């Protein structure tokens, strides 16, 4: 029997090499035409451990997740684990990941991040109750979910010990989680895509504002700087009237200045430079009121079109422990306790107000969460490696106009290629979202990118890496194959996820 298994393993190995190291799949995926914004909105649930680091704490909470199997080459096709980040996760969106899933015959699964949306362990978000909200706990959630879902697939196909090839994806903070998951649990995934993955915790993130200025260009940058200066002066003389122009009378002065800076940054971040630059440049050339022009842009674009919660800038609202918009308080806690990303004004030539400095952010953290909540970015970067992360089989991608790219890994290294997608409206998560990155583009449509070829070229590279790493995963598993029953390769993932030969 051992001789037969050895010969079978060698034969499969040679077969894969002859096929150009493609994943060994015999059944094509079922036909499916994805239409609309979502692949699925059907909720599923699992019991998740509250504290993965305490052997005596056995408390559980309900974690929401979604699955989409229409593309899956069952039973042995890959599983694409799409990581949800710092917001409620109420669906699997029909973006470019759907195109990749169809290409590779993959199932798509998406667990919601702990505490966000409906995956809340506590009703009240007190600082004490938020102590289990961290990237470290979230990574173990993903590992447990991965094992749980693999077992559910095995039960569905009436088999045991089988291990599908898994690949992880994420954008922004979820992109960082994707890279960190591959770093910490390399035995649980064949590779990962860290799209705009912010793997570097940054205390004074001055490069963020500098990129806003570069993305704006000289004329627009000058108009934004002049607008900021005018607003600062008006806040000193008649703060109520200037805030009324924007419809935001409740914000304190510094919070208001942070809000105005963030509006501009998000415009470039999500690939809509003309939305802010065109009216401001026109107003400056024609002697129009810049503050009134900017206020109109904020109301038309940011509030009506983007639906961004203004409450996320109101410290009194952020202090509430049962808010309607819980995501804002939750993300600020992660910022204040772990990663910082403090978007402070550079010493010179800043677009944002100089009042948005380190003290502003530290005061916000103390005011909202109390004493003792502080982002130890040194320890965060020591734990994960920052941009010097030492891992393998991770693709990093960034958009050239995205201010967040300066917290991502922008230099390629061994087994970790990094791609910069260059175009005028290439921002946050362009490879999966297309252009602009918001509002939503079905299947990540790249036709509105100023250089669609730049986006598509990087997408081709991503597909090649996925193909190669899935194939390498398959070859490694074939070498551990104990035997084949009903045409399936048999594996065991073991207690710790290490592949074991079945006895």
């Amino acid at each position: 029997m051992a001789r037969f298994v050895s010969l079978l393993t060698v034969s499969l190995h040679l077969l894969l090499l002859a096929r150009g190291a493609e994943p060994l799949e015999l059944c094509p995926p079922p036909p499916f035409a994805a239409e609309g914004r979502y692949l699925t909105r059907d909720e599923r649930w699992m019991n998740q451990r509250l504290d993965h680091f305490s052997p005596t704490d056995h408390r559980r909470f309900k974690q929401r997740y979604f699955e989409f199997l229409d593309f899956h080459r069952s039973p042995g096709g890959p599983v694409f684990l799409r990581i949800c980040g710092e917001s409620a996760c109420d669906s699997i969106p029909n973006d470019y990941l759907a195109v990749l899933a169809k290409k590779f015959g993959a199932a798509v699964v998406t667990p919601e991040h702990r505490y966000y949306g409906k995956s809340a362990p506590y009703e009240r978000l007190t600082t004490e109750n938020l102590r289990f909200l961290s990237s470290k706990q979230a990574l173990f959630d993903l590992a447990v979910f991965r094992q749980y879902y693999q077992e559910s697939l095995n039960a569905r196909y009436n088999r045991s010990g089988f291990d599908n090839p898994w690949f992880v994806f994420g954008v922004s903070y979820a992109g960082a989680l994707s890279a960190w998951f591959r770093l910490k649990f390399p035995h649980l995934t064949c590779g990962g895509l860290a799209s705009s993955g912010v793997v570097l915790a940054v205390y004074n993130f001055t490069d963020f504002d500098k990129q806003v200025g570069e993305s704006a260009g000289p004329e627009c940058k000058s108009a934004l700087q002049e607008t900021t200066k005018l607003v600062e002066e008006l806040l000193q003389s008649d703060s109520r009237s200037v805030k009324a122009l924007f419809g935001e009378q409740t914000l304190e002065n510094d919070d208001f200045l942070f809000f105005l800076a963030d509006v501009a940054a998000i415009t470039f971040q999500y690939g809509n430079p003309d939305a802010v630059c065109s009216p401001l440049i026109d107003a400056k050339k024609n002697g129009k009121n810049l503050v009134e022009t900017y206020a109109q842009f904020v109301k038309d674009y940011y509030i009506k079109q983007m639906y961004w919660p203004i409450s996320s800038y109101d410290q009194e609202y952020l202090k509430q422990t049962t808010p309607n918009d819980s995501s804002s308080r939750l993300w600020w806690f992660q910022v204040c306790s772990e990663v910082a990303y403090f978007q402070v004004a550079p010493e010179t030539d800043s677009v944002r107000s100089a009042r948005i400095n380190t003290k502003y952010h530290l005061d916000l953290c103390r005011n909202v969460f109390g004493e003792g909540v502080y982002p130890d970015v040194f320890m965060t970067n020591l734990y994960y490696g920052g941009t010097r992360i030492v891992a393998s089989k991770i693709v990093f991608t960034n958009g050239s106009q995205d201010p967040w790219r300066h917290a991502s890994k922008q230099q390629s290294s061994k087994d970790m290629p990094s791609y910069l997608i260059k175009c005028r409206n290439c921002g946050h998560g362009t490879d999966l979202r297309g252009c602009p990155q918001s509002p939503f583009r079905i299947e990540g449509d790249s036709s509105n990118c100023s250089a669609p070829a730049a986006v598509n070229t990087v997408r081709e590279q991503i597909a090649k890496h996925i193909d190669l790493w899935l194939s390498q995963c398959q070859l490694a598993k074939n070498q551990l194959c104990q035997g084949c029953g009903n045409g399936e390769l048999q594996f065991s993932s073991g207690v710790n996820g290490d592949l074991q030969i079945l006895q």
Side-chain angles (χ1 to χ4, degrees), residues 343-365:
Q343 297 159 29
V344 301
E347 290 185 5
T348 60
D349 204 29
S350 174
V351 174
R352 66 187 57 217
S353 169
R355 295 187 63 84
I356 309 305
N357 52 24
T358 306
K359 183 179 183 300
Y360 167 79
H361 288 87
L362 290 176
D363 287 347
L364 183 152
C365 293

Side-chain angles (χ1 to χ4, degrees), residues 432-451:
L432 294 181
R433 294 170 172 169
C435 300
Q437 294 77 62
S438 183
F440 185 81
R441 309 288 297 178
I442 292 176
E443 294 189 341
D445 180 17
S446 63
S447 62
N448 284 338
C449 297
S450 66

Side-chain angles (χ1 to χ4, degrees), residues 117-154:
K118 296 183 179 180
S119 300
Y122 298 98
E123 290 185 4
R124 297 183 66 242
L125 302 178
T126 63
T127 301
E128 173 68 15
N129 286 345
L130 294 178
R131 67 189 184 279
F132 301 112
L133 174 58
S134 71
S135 62
K136 299 178 183 67
Q137 295 280 5
L139 289 175
F140 272 86
D141 286 347
L142 292 170
V144 170
F145 171 80
R146 189 263 194 224
Q147 300 297 77
Y148 163 84
Y149 191 78
Q150 182 63 66
E151 292 174 3
S152 73
L153 273 184
N154 289 346

Side-chain angles (χ1 to χ4, degrees), residues 9 32 85 108 268 292 334 465:
T9 301
F32 179 86
V108 184
F268 299 109
E292 291 179 359
Q334 292 193 257
H465 290 299

